[in-house]
Amino acid sequence: MSEKDPIIGYLGFSLHELEAQKAGWLQSRYYSDDDSDFVKDFLSFNEVNEICPFEVGINRKKERSEFKRRLSQLILDLELKSLLNKRFTKLSNGEMRRVLLAREILKKPDKLILDSPLAGLDAENRERFRMIFNKLIAEKSVELEFRGEIDEGEENKAIEIEFSDNSISDKKKIIEMKLISIKFGKRKLFDKFNWTIREGERWILKGKNGAGKTTLMALITGDSPLAYSQDITVFGQKREIGRELSRIRKKIGMVSPEMQAYLGLSINKLLDRAFTDKTELLILDEPCMNCSPKETKAILKRIDAFLSSRPKVTAICIAHRADHVPSTFDRLLEL
């Protein structure tokens, strides 16, 4: 009788790519007709174990009871309760990684490969993940194999730049948001939020996973339909129905983990697309996520070189770590 093949679990960016591409299109997370699984279904016994719901004649009562116990504990450990009734594709990068970790653990693998597992997580969630890893090691229930960067260095250094009040500046306004209010169910994401960004400014945007950083960028680019119900002006044009987006988007260069996942392009390929003579606004959403220290230095050097040679280009960088911020950025907004 042959031995059973070991079950190998995996957590890393390629898993994000696989799940993201199932949605089919980049902006799907911002639309209400998204038909992806709810998180509670994604983490259900049948889904995790790939069991046909119509199977008959197999008693899995004991397995289901044990699964329920483990899922309840993971919901507590990873604070997943508030995510259970959300669509999977509508999760932020950090939220998605928490759900994916829970799913991989629920599969009861013999070995769990953790490929840069803390990438894209805020400080609170990085600590939460370390707690989970330590618990798994103590239980000796699964062999853990760490790959890539484990984020033990510069990540702990705070991004220390004061919020700048530029209301009296005479520079041209590139983006103006007034009284932005967005609510999902009972949760207020933004409540009368105001933000003005002027020509040539370099802003760092930080906040906890799920705070609304990527949503804020989608309001600027027009990817989110919610932009049309808010008071938003980009390049002097109101975001309103009937306004042609293509002309505005030609002025915006963007790099994000979502673009990597859906388009299957590397960070450097995305930078090639973003660094053009037409770019007036550069949006960098976690540009160094999933990169080695050597790759991170090269990417930051490219970004700094581009922006230094174009002082009028306005830029926004979403980052959790001080060592993932280009040196040319000197303004900070924390959500």
Side-chain angles (χ1 to χ4, degrees), residues 163-173 175 195-199 201 203 331:
F163 180 93
S164 300
D165 181 5
N166 62 352
S167 58
I168 60 174
S169 173
D170 59 356
K171 289 183 179 179
K172 182 171 64 176
K173 294 178 181 178
I175 299 165
W195 193 19
T196 298
I197 303 175
R198 297 177 183 272
E199 184 180 73
E201 292 182 345
W203 284 87
R331 294 172 182 267

Side-chain angles (χ1 to χ4, degrees), residues 141-155:
S141 56
V142 57
E143 177 189 349
L144 301 184
E145 179 182 322
F146 291 91
R147 296 179 181 176
E149 192 178 9
I150 311 301
D151 292 337
E152 290 289 355
E154 291 290 322
E155 56 156 18

Side-chain angles (χ1 to χ4, degrees), residues 179-184 187-192 215-216 219 224 226-227 229-230 232:
L179 301 175
I180 303 300
S181 295
I182 295 177
K183 184 169 71 170
F184 294 110
R187 181 189 172 217
K188 286 185 178 180
L189 194 62
F190 297 105
D191 186 17
K192 297 181 180 178
T215 296
L216 201 58
L219 295 176
S224 171
L226 294 172
S229 63
Q230 305 294 325
I232 301 172

Side-chain angles (χ1 to χ4, degrees), residues 292-311:
S292 68
K294 183 178 179 180
E295 290 169 331
T296 294
K297 287 180 181 179
I299 288 166
L300 295 180
K301 186 176 180 180
R302 281 197 68 186
I303 295 170
D304 280 332
F306 176 79
L307 291 176
S308 295
S309 65
R310 294 165 174 81

Side-chain angles (χ1 to χ4, degrees), residues 43-57:
L43 296 178
S44 68
F45 180 83
N46 285 358
E47 284 285 326
V48 171
N49 294 290
E50 300 180 355
I51 294 173
C52 173
F54 303 108
E55 71 172 24
V56 294

